[in-house]
Amino acid sequence: MLYGVAFQKLLLRVMAPKPKSPRLLAGIKWESIAKKPRMMATDASMANAFSSYAEYLNNLNDKRERVVKASRDITMNSKKVIFQVHRISKHNKDEVLEQAEKDLQAVRDRHVSRLVKELNGTDFWKLRRAYSPGVQEYVEAATFYQFCRTGTLLNLDEINATLAPFSDPCIEPLQINILDYLLGLADLTGELMRLAIGRISDGELEFAERICGFVRDIHRGLTILAPDMDDSYDMKTKMDTILQSVMKIENAIFSVHVRGSEYTPLLGSTDPDYSLLGVSDIDL
């Protein structure tokens, strides 16, 4: 009996799996075994990251297309406001400005609101190139209307205040930046030059002189700011255009004062041989 028990214990010891030697255990690449699941997890996370970024880019491209469309609509309809204001004269001022105000409000309600809602809650500075032309044209139209109605300049805070009703108060609202405002202001001077020449043709010399002083003030202010706007090549090129606008208004007013009313009806002439003190390229 004792022999049988001892034999069974021996048999179990022999049949039991032998532990591997330390040398064999040392030869196993435990690092490869440990890293395998970690590498799989890393690959999965990288795939998810790339997938998420690709989806973000697709959404951003779609948003950019919608923003460009809204910007074009703002540009087109803002130009209509500018054309409406150019119809102003001493006989129809109230009627023209009333219609221009309605048209400007329609631009805000139908088109600017789309742009604001599209950009709310996003990094709208990334899409500035897509909507900047429309914003500049809107600034030009709004400031042009404001000057003809009150003789004052619509500042940036006042323009941004008109966008507030379209913004979600819980999300960072779209704000027109200072660069787009100044670029729109630079374009305003060209419209004011055309308006001044037209008013002189209608005998409204006093109004033209007021416009001339206003354009001079804009040019003086932008001359101070332009050197600090190193990233804006557009502003540097527009400064020459602003100076030309000032000179055209001054030359037209000077000619009327020096040569009398005989030049007044000729300011609106389309005769290519007509020149005003050497300035034959007045844009009408």
Side-chain angles (χ1 to χ4, degrees):
M1 185 66 179
L2 294 175
Y3 176 80
V5 173
F7 181 80
Q8 289 180 2
K9 291 182 178 180
L10 179 61
L11 184 62
L12 290 174
R13 184 178 297 179
V14 172
M15 295 181 63
K18 295 182 179 179
K20 295 182 179 180
S21 65
R23 293 182 180 179
L24 293 176
L25 292 175
I28 298 176
K29 296 182 178 179
W30 294 100
E31 294 181 356
S32 61
I33 297 175
K35 283 186 176 180
K36 190 172 184 180
R38 189 177 301 172
M39 290 180 64
M40 293 177 62
T42 303
D43 291 343
S45 62
M46 288 291 290
N48 291 335
F50 277 113
S51 177
S52 299
Y53 190 66
E55 183 179 0
Y56 166 76
L57 290 179
N58 289 334
N59 293 335
L60 186 64
N61 289 333
D62 292 341
K63 183 181 289 291
R64 181 180 285 107
E65 291 180 3
R66 295 193 297 270
V67 167
V68 169
K69 177 63 169 59
S71 177
R72 289 173 179 171
D73 291 339
I74 294 172
T75 299
M76 180 178 62
N77 289 277
S78 295
K79 288 183 181 295
K80 292 181 180 179
V81 175
I82 294 173
F83 295 153
Q84 172 66 20
V85 175
H86 271 298
R87 294 179 56 245
I88 193 173
S89 70
K90 58 185 177 182
H91 304 294
N92 64 356
K93 178 179 179 180
D94 294 336
E95 177 185 352
V96 168
L97 292 181
E98 182 180 357
Q99 183 60 45
E101 183 178 9
K102 293 179 180 178
D103 294 342
L104 191 61
Q105 185 62 44
V107 174
R108 286 194 290 265
D109 293 341
R110 298 176 186 175
H111 307 293
V112 176
S113 62
R114 285 168 45 208
L115 181 64
V116 172
K117 292 176 181 178
E118 194 68 49
L119 295 174
N120 270 353
T122 65
D123 296 330
F124 48 80
W125 56 270
K126 293 181 179 179
L127 297 173
R128 178 183 169 269
R129 291 290 183 183
Y131 66 80
S132 178
V135 168
Q136 292 178 37
E137 198 70 32
Y138 171 73
V139 169
E140 182 181 353
T143 52
F144 191 38
Y145 163 76
Q146 177 76 4
F147 173 78
C148 291
R149 187 173 69 87
T150 65
T152 60
L153 178 65
L154 187 67
N155 62 45
L156 181 58
D157 291 336
E158 292 171 333
I159 291 181
N160 280 326
T162 63
L163 307 182
F166 307 117
S167 303
D168 186 345
C170 300
I171 303 176
E172 182 182 2
L174 171 67
Q175 296 285 295
I176 297 175
N177 61 55
I178 184 66
L179 180 58
D180 287 335
Y181 173 75
L182 293 178
L183 290 172
L185 206 61
D187 293 334
L188 169 66
T189 59
E191 301 301 335
L192 290 174
M193 181 272 295
R194 295 179 180 89
L195 182 64
I197 298 300
R199 295 308 91 225
I200 294 175
S201 298
D202 290 344
E204 299 180 49
L205 186 60
E206 183 179 352
F207 187 26
E209 290 175 343
R210 196 161 79 244
I211 294 174
C212 185
F214 188 73
V215 176
R216 278 200 207 104
D217 290 340
I218 293 177
H219 179 261
R220 186 181 301 112
L222 293 180
T223 301
I224 298 174
L225 293 175
D228 295 329
M229 300 170 65
D230 295 334
D231 61 338
S232 177
Y233 179 75
D234 292 339
M235 177 57 73
K236 293 180 180 180
T237 57
K238 287 181 179 183
M239 288 303 297
D240 292 337
T241 304
I242 298 174
L243 181 58
Q244 291 176 9
S245 296
V246 174
M247 294 176 61
K248 288 177 181 179
I249 301 174
E250 290 177 343
N251 286 338
I253 294 175
F254 179 77
S255 295
V256 173
H257 279 296
V258 173
R259 304 298 297 272
S261 59
E262 60 181 285
Y263 276 91
T264 301
L266 295 177
L267 290 176
S269 175
T270 57
D271 184 359
D273 295 330
Y274 168 71
S275 63
L276 184 63
L277 291 184
V279 182
S280 59
D281 58 341
I282 295 178
D283 298 325
L284 297 175

